[in-house]
Amino acid sequence: MPTAVVLTDFGPQVIEVVKVLRRRTGLSLWQSRSLLDRLPATILEDVSEDLAEATVCELLEVGAKAEVRRQA
């Protein structure tokens, strides 16, 4: 079942969150930073559950809040 990753809060370590976003999404520095101004933001869509869970775990490790949402 396809899933999405939604970032709900970037927490205190903005730079670390931006690094994770760049690594996981392939977005530029500017695009990654601008996502943080539009929370909640879907950062990945139609990905496997394993990839979604790994991305959420990585975001949680740097102090952000994110969740996996199952898509219909």
Side-chain angles (χ1 to χ4, degrees):
M1 173 181 286
T3 58
V5 176
V6 179
L7 181 65
T8 57
D9 184 16
F10 52 83
Q13 298 181 346
V14 176
I15 293 172
E16 295 304 315
V17 173
V18 169
K19 287 179 183 178
V20 172
L21 290 177
R22 290 187 70 197
R23 186 169 46 254
R24 290 293 184 161
T25 64
L27 295 173
S28 71
L29 175 64
W30 182 85
Q31 291 169 318
S32 297
R33 178 59 185 96
S34 70
L35 271 177
L36 303 183
D37 295 330
R38 299 189 309 260
L39 296 182
T42 301
I43 59 170
L44 292 174
E45 287 185 294
D46 295 324
V47 296
S48 70
E49 192 160 336
D50 290 340
L51 177 60
E53 292 288 346
T55 302
V56 167
C57 285
E58 196 170 346
L59 287 165
L60 293 176
E61 286 174 5
V62 295
K65 292 182 183 168
E67 58 190 44
V68 175
R69 292 192 181 160
R70 274 74 182 169
Q71 297 176 315

